[in-house]
Amino acid sequence: MFRWRYIIPRVIIFGLIICIVAFASGPLTKWLLITGGQSVTGAKVEIGNLETSWLEGKIRMGEIEIADPRHPMNNLVQQDEAVLNLDVDRLLHKEFIVEQARISNIQFGTPRTDSGLLSKSNKPSHVDLDWIINPLKKQAKTLGQNWLEQFERRSLKVIEDKLETVRVARQLNEQWTARYRYHHEQANKIKKQIDELKSMIKKPSKNPLRDFERLQVAMRQINNFHNQLRTTRREIHQLDDLLKRDRQRLIDAKERDQQKIKSSAEFFKVDANTTSELLLGRQRSDYVNEVISWVKWFRGVLPNPKRDFYPQRSRGENIQFVGLKPRPKFLIQSAKITGRGNIGGQRHDFFGSATNLSTQPEFVEAPTVFNLETSGARRIQVVAQLDRRTDKKIDDIRIKIPGIRIPAKHLGSPDSMLLDVSEGRLVADIGVRVEDNNLVGRIVFRQDHLKMSVRQLNPKAGGFNLASSINQQLSQLNEFVVQIDFSGKPNNLNVKLQSDLGTKISDAFGRMVNQAAAETIAVQTRRLEEQVNEEIARLTNRHKTEINKLLKIVNADSNVVAGLEKIIPNLNKWPKIR
Amino acid sequence: MITGIWKIFRMFRGSFAGGDTPRQIGFGVAMGMLIGIVPKDSLFTYVFGVLLLMSTANLLSALVSGFVFTWMGFLLDPLSHALGKVVLTNANWQATWCALYEMPIVPWTKFNNTVVTGSLLIGLALFIPVYWGATKTFKTYGPRINSKLGQYSTYRWLAGREHFNQPAEPAMNKTLTQTEVV
């Protein structure tokens, strides 16, 4: 009836296959996961051990390493253990939907001993991770110089202001010397002409008829001398008016100088931003670098499968049927994770959760969200929303440091100003949005419960004496807030720093420097007043002397001319020659 | 006990050789062709494998045929892809494909892949001609082939005919007789 010869062995074979499938489902699943993972990423996938329980839809994997297709000598991810609770219903639809996962000791970017590339034709891209951050540190070196230049510019300005009065005084001195010389020359010239006339008149003549003509010429010259001497005397008297005007000019210059000195002192203020840059420039660089490290880390953690993976080509083409909503083939809806990572050069142990992790994020409705907290002394809360649903990578990362103790440190530079800051508490809130390679972010941190004092101050900025005065004011200061805004590409970041620390320190400096400057200016103003008064007195005295000398010469000449006029006979009484 | 185990082993070995009528051999060749031509990451392959095991087909011929047609399948990929694409992108069939894809297990067949569907259709289309051709061939040339292969001890061992002095002729005669009986 039955052909047992055929049926029994086939039943046995079939049974054996069922048994093999049942008992070897682990290795089979392992093989499927490895080949599936490799075909998606284009990089090696290694799984140490694997246990399956299909009825419960549970897979437990141990010692998992997935190579990074962008960096073949690094692992994209490495984990000690992963327990996945699969949605069995979706599994029947060939969809690996992990409803809940527990991933222990996950590590990112760990080094490999062998290359993780499956095919040599895959050329690793380094688009995202070649971010350069060093320029920020370079800027810090020039901050001290910039800060000191403020003081240097101020000193130079005061010296220039002094020069205006001095310059006017020097000009007046030169002008008056020239004037006096001119009038002396004029007087001497007239005197010489008078002496010549005098000798001509007194010279005896052989022919009396000739004397008439000679004396007529002499009379005309005498009249001319009278006119010249009158003019000279008038000019000499006019010099008094000129002197008055020049004295006023000197007084005006002095008043202008004093005004300028006062106004320059009023406007002098240490620039708060430059001070903030000097004191917090290094911290700014460190914080921005750390934020970029976090961004880099998350970028490394979650590559863009479309761009960064090298899926192996399968035979044919998978058709997406019209009307069928595309769904991801692999999705971890929610995972509890613990792990560690090197971020910003520091090792962080962390724990938290991840949602919506998929190899086909474009088919997932919501972006991937990591909610992590670092363990240990430095507790950092991180919420990262990484959107890979479109070709544009969009990351929103929020990092909160709720309050950690920070050790004592120095701010600023020993070349300009070095500030001692005692240990205190740090609270920080960092937000950064990255669209492809464009960053926009803000870091706000507050340091409180601290004490500050100026340890070193460059002599150009006031030196030890000013530092002591400022320290008295800083004793009231026990907290400060810093806000760093940055935008642009990572290798060309536009970073703006604002802090009330710079304002507070600058105000303290401003008060102390202006107080010292006011005293200096008062001394300078007084000295200028004295100098101008001395200059005016000297000018006046010299004028009097010179005027007296000139008038003396002119008067003497007038007397001589008058004497000559008397000795000339009256020409009208002479007989007329026909 | 040992005799029982030996009997079961002989039966197992016999099942590998399978039925040795030309029809069983032809069916084995056709099933092997179907399994070989369809990509192995499709559930179709395993379903056909189970069907093969459940049938009285000659497994040895199926194994050889499967091996040969696996390589032929790669050569047929362009044709399979073109055919599969025409079928799968046909607007009138989209609702059917969607409904099929939404059914459990079915997506594991990868029928939405052009090569899978194309090669499946080619395989199904070739099934009857291959079965008919192979049956005819083995009817005509079977004894001669059996005689030639019978010279090899491996074949004799696999076919369970190591005790026969003249393995080819009697086996084929017996097969013909059995076929007539069936």
Side-chain angles (χ1 to χ4, degrees):
Chain A
M1 195 165 58
F2 292 104
R3 302 185 68 182
W4 294 109
R5 188 184 160 209
Y6 294 108
I7 292 170
I8 290 172
R10 280 169 163 75
V11 168
I12 290 170
I13 291 171
F14 191 66
L16 276 174
I17 289 171
I18 295 293
C19 287
I20 288 168
V21 169
F23 288 106
S25 64
L28 192 68
T29 311
K30 184 177 165 181
W31 175 79
L32 281 171
L33 286 171
I34 288 172
T35 50
Q38 289 184 162
S39 67
V40 169
T41 61
K44 281 183 187 168
V45 175
E46 288 153 306
I47 298 171
N49 52 68
L50 187 139
E51 291 168 20
T52 52
S53 171
W54 293 114
L55 291 176
E56 296 175 55
K58 188 178 273 187
I59 299 175
R60 198 197 68 78
M61 294 180 280
E63 296 166 14
I64 307 145
E65 286 186 26
I66 302 172
D68 191 338
R70 299 161 299 177
H71 300 271
M73 294 310 290
N74 283 5
N75 282 321
L76 181 68
V77 65
Q78 179 182 341
Q79 48 199 284
D80 284 357
E81 189 187 54
V83 180
L84 313 177
N85 287 326
L86 291 165
D87 183 338
V88 180
D89 182 47
R90 298 315 306 168
L91 192 62
L92 294 174
H93 290 82
K94 210 188 171 189
E95 290 167 16
F96 290 89
I97 308 298
V98 180
E99 292 172 319
Q100 184 67 50
R102 185 167 49 80
I103 301 165
S104 309
N105 199 16
I106 192 168
Q107 295 180 65
F108 299 94
T110 51
R112 292 178 60 89
T113 50
D114 60 330
S115 172
L117 272 190
L118 289 173
S119 167
K120 286 181 181 174
S121 60
N122 295 343
K123 288 177 184 170
S125 64
H126 300 275
V127 176
D128 290 338
L129 304 179
D130 279 352
W131 290 357
I132 302 158
I133 317 160
N134 292 335
L136 283 176
K137 286 198 170 177
K138 284 180 187 169
Q139 286 175 17
K141 290 181 182 174
T142 58
L143 291 174
Q145 290 171 353
N146 292 344
W147 189 74
L148 279 177
E149 273 175 17
Q150 297 178 100
F151 295 91
E152 287 169 4
R153 278 200 299 271
R154 178 180 167 272
S155 337
L156 282 172
K157 197 173 180 185
V158 172
I159 291 164
E160 281 171 6
D161 289 345
K162 278 181 181 176
L163 286 175
E164 191 176 343
T165 306
V166 174
R167 193 177 65 246
V168 171
R170 197 178 292 139
Q171 278 177 0
L172 290 178
N173 190 37
E174 286 170 4
Q175 284 171 3
W176 280 104
T177 304
R179 279 185 196 129
Y180 293 139
R181 193 187 301 123
Y182 168 76
H183 286 293
H184 274 291
E185 282 171 3
Q186 286 296 315
N188 288 334
K189 192 178 168 186
I190 293 167
K191 193 174 180 294
K192 196 178 173 184
Q193 286 171 349
I194 289 169
D195 287 343
E196 285 173 2
L197 180 67
K198 194 176 169 183
S199 58
M200 184 189 80
I201 290 169
K202 286 182 179 177
K203 193 178 175 183
S205 175
K206 291 175 183 173
N207 185 357
L209 287 175
R210 292 282 173 104
D211 281 350
F212 182 76
E213 284 178 12
R214 191 166 53 89
L215 290 172
Q216 266 188 326
V217 172
M219 266 319 283
R220 277 200 298 275
Q221 282 185 351
I222 283 168
N223 286 336
N224 197 20
F225 283 141
H226 276 305
N227 288 336
Q228 279 186 22
L229 286 169
R230 266 197 302 274
T231 306
T232 305
R233 196 174 284 114
R234 194 170 59 244
E235 282 177 357
I236 289 167
H237 286 300
Q238 278 174 350
L239 288 177
D240 288 342
D241 295 335
L242 267 178
L243 181 71
K244 278 180 190 170
R245 200 189 67 190
D246 284 349
R247 268 197 309 232
Q248 192 55 45
R249 196 177 150 200
L250 200 60
I251 289 164
D252 289 347
K254 177 202 73 179
E255 282 174 358
R256 275 198 301 274
D257 286 350
Q258 286 175 336
Q259 193 60 36
K260 276 181 187 174
I261 291 166
K262 281 177 187 170
S263 62
S264 70
E266 278 168 11
F267 285 110
F268 176 73
K269 194 179 174 185
V270 180
D271 184 60
N273 285 337
T274 314
T275 308
S276 295
E277 291 275 350
L278 168 74
L279 297 173
L280 302 162
R282 191 173 292 279
Q283 274 198 322
R284 175 195 66 166
S285 305
D286 291 345
Y287 275 90
V288 173
N289 284 340
E290 179 135 355
V291 169
I292 290 175
S293 301
W294 278 91
V295 173
K296 279 174 69 177
W297 187 76
F298 275 109
R299 283 272 160 119
V301 167
L302 201 69
N304 190 340
K306 273 188 175 176
R307 222 161 55 182
D308 302 328
F309 287 173
Y310 307 101
Q312 290 174 338
R313 287 189 64 188
S314 61
R315 294 166 69 186
E317 181 188 339
N318 293 328
I319 302 295
Q320 179 64 40
F321 301 123
V322 179
L324 196 67
K325 191 183 171 189
R327 287 190 296 261
K329 292 290 173 198
F330 179 82
L331 170 68
I332 298 178
Q333 288 175 334
S334 174
K336 286 182 178 172
I337 54 177
T338 62
R340 64 183 59 166
N342 275 322
I343 310 156
Q346 288 186 327
R347 195 171 184 81
H348 294 275
D349 288 332
F350 58 82
F351 59 93
S353 65
T355 54
N356 297 323
L357 277 164
S358 175
T359 53
Q360 291 168 297
E362 68 271 24
F363 299 147
V364 184
E365 286 178 356
T368 305
V369 177
F370 284 94
N371 205 325
L372 304 175
E373 190 170 329
T374 58
S375 49
R378 203 179 175 197
R379 293 184 87 83
I380 301 171
Q381 295 167 350
V382 182
V383 179
Q385 182 177 294
L386 312 174
D387 198 343
R388 301 286 179 278
R389 290 175 296 170
T390 59
D391 285 341
K392 192 183 235 183
K393 286 182 176 180
I394 302 172
D395 301 336
D396 276 302
I397 299 169
R398 186 84 186 264
I399 304 167
K400 279 189 177 181
I401 302 170
I404 54 167
R405 298 299 302 172
I406 49 167
K409 59 185 160 191
H410 302 301
L411 298 180
S413 153
D415 299 332
S416 46
M417 177 170 60
L418 192 67
L419 205 66
D420 277 346
V421 180
S422 71
E423 66 165 17
R425 194 181 67 149
L426 174 82
V427 179
D429 190 350
I430 299 157
V432 59
R433 182 179 173 85
V434 193
E435 290 189 13
D436 278 338
N437 272 359
N438 287 310
L439 284 96
V440 179
R442 172 173 288 178
I443 302 168
V444 179
F445 65 87
R446 195 178 82 235
Q447 283 181 238
D448 53 18
H449 298 92
L450 48 81
K451 286 182 178 172
M452 283 185 280
S453 61
V454 178
R455 175 186 276 263
Q456 275 178 264
L457 189 63
N458 192 297
K460 284 179 190 170
F464 178 75
N465 291 335
L466 190 61
S468 305
S469 309
I470 285 168
N471 280 341
Q472 287 174 358
Q473 299 202 17
L474 288 182
S475 61
Q476 308 295 322
L477 193 65
N478 56 13
E479 68 166 30
F480 64 88
V481 180
V482 180
Q483 180 177 313
I484 303 165
D485 291 293
F486 54 93
S487 60
K489 293 189 186 300
N491 55 0
N492 187 23
L493 268 186
N494 180 21
V495 183
K496 190 179 171 190
L497 183 139
Q498 287 176 295
S499 172
D500 63 346
L501 178 64
T503 312
K504 287 170 180 173
I505 299 275
S506 296
D507 287 349
F509 255 96
R511 275 195 296 275
M512 300 316 298
V513 169
N514 283 331
Q515 194 178 321
E519 288 169 12
T520 310
I521 285 161
V523 170
Q524 285 177 344
T525 310
R526 202 164 49 243
R527 194 184 298 161
L528 192 67
E529 184 86 37
E530 285 168 4
Q531 281 176 347
V532 169
N533 287 342
E534 279 173 19
E535 187 64 26
I536 288 170
R538 196 180 61 78
L539 212 62
T540 309
N541 290 338
R542 185 186 175 194
H543 182 70
K544 277 180 185 171
T545 310
E546 293 289 343
I547 292 292
N548 284 340
K549 276 184 193 171
L550 284 169
L551 285 176
K552 202 174 174 181
I553 295 166
V554 172
N555 288 339
D557 289 344
S558 293
N559 290 336
V560 171
V561 172
L564 289 173
E565 198 174 15
K566 281 178 187 170
I567 62 171
I568 293 172
N570 192 346
L571 296 176
N572 291 332
K573 290 178 181 175
W574 282 43
K576 289 195 171 57
I577 300 164
R578 296 178 192 273
Chain B
M1 173 84 178
I2 293 169
T3 317
I5 292 169
W6 177 243
K7 273 187 179 175
I8 290 169
F9 176 73
R10 286 290 302 273
M11 283 167 80
F12 178 80
R13 197 174 59 176
S15 75
F16 192 77
D20 39 13
T21 68
R23 280 186 183 179
Q24 286 167 325
I25 293 169
F27 189 66
V29 170
M31 284 301 284
M33 178 273 297
L34 199 55
I35 291 167
I37 207 167
V38 175
K40 302 299 168 289
D41 55 352
S42 163
L43 191 64
F44 284 131
T45 315
Y46 304 97
V47 170
F48 294 144
V50 170
L51 285 175
L52 176 69
L53 283 173
M54 289 169 73
S55 73
T56 58
N58 185 296
L59 293 186
L60 188 61
S61 59
L63 190 72
V64 173
S65 166
F67 184 76
V68 171
F69 278 99
T70 295
W71 292 105
M72 282 185 70
F74 285 108
L75 299 175
L76 286 171
D77 268 2
L79 180 66
S80 306
H81 169 70
L83 180 63
K85 193 157 190 176
V86 167
V87 174
L88 291 172
T89 54
N90 188 311
N92 297 328
W93 284 80
Q94 291 303 302
T96 311
W97 299 137
C98 285
L100 268 176
Y101 200 83
E102 290 291 353
M103 288 166 72
I105 307 290
V106 177
W108 286 96
T109 62
K110 278 191 80 177
F111 82 93
N112 62 320
N113 183 279
T114 52
V115 171
V116 171
T117 298
S119 59
L120 177 69
L121 290 174
I122 291 169
L124 290 174
L126 290 175
F127 190 85
I128 300 295
V130 168
Y131 169 72
W132 183 79
T135 307
K136 270 280 195 189
T137 307
F138 276 93
K139 261 184 188 170
T140 313
Y141 302 105
R144 205 178 298 170
I145 293 167
N146 210 14
S147 166
K148 289 275 183 194
L149 290 173
Q151 293 171 7
Y152 300 99
S153 58
T154 313
Y155 174 77
R156 288 204 304 275
W157 185 84
L158 278 171
R161 289 166 189 147
E162 66 269 37
H163 299 299
F164 293 101
N165 292 327
Q166 293 295 323
E169 293 298 332
M172 190 50 70
N173 290 339
K174 186 182 162 192
T175 307
L176 286 170
T177 316
Q178 280 176 350
T179 312
E180 282 161 11
V181 170
V182 171

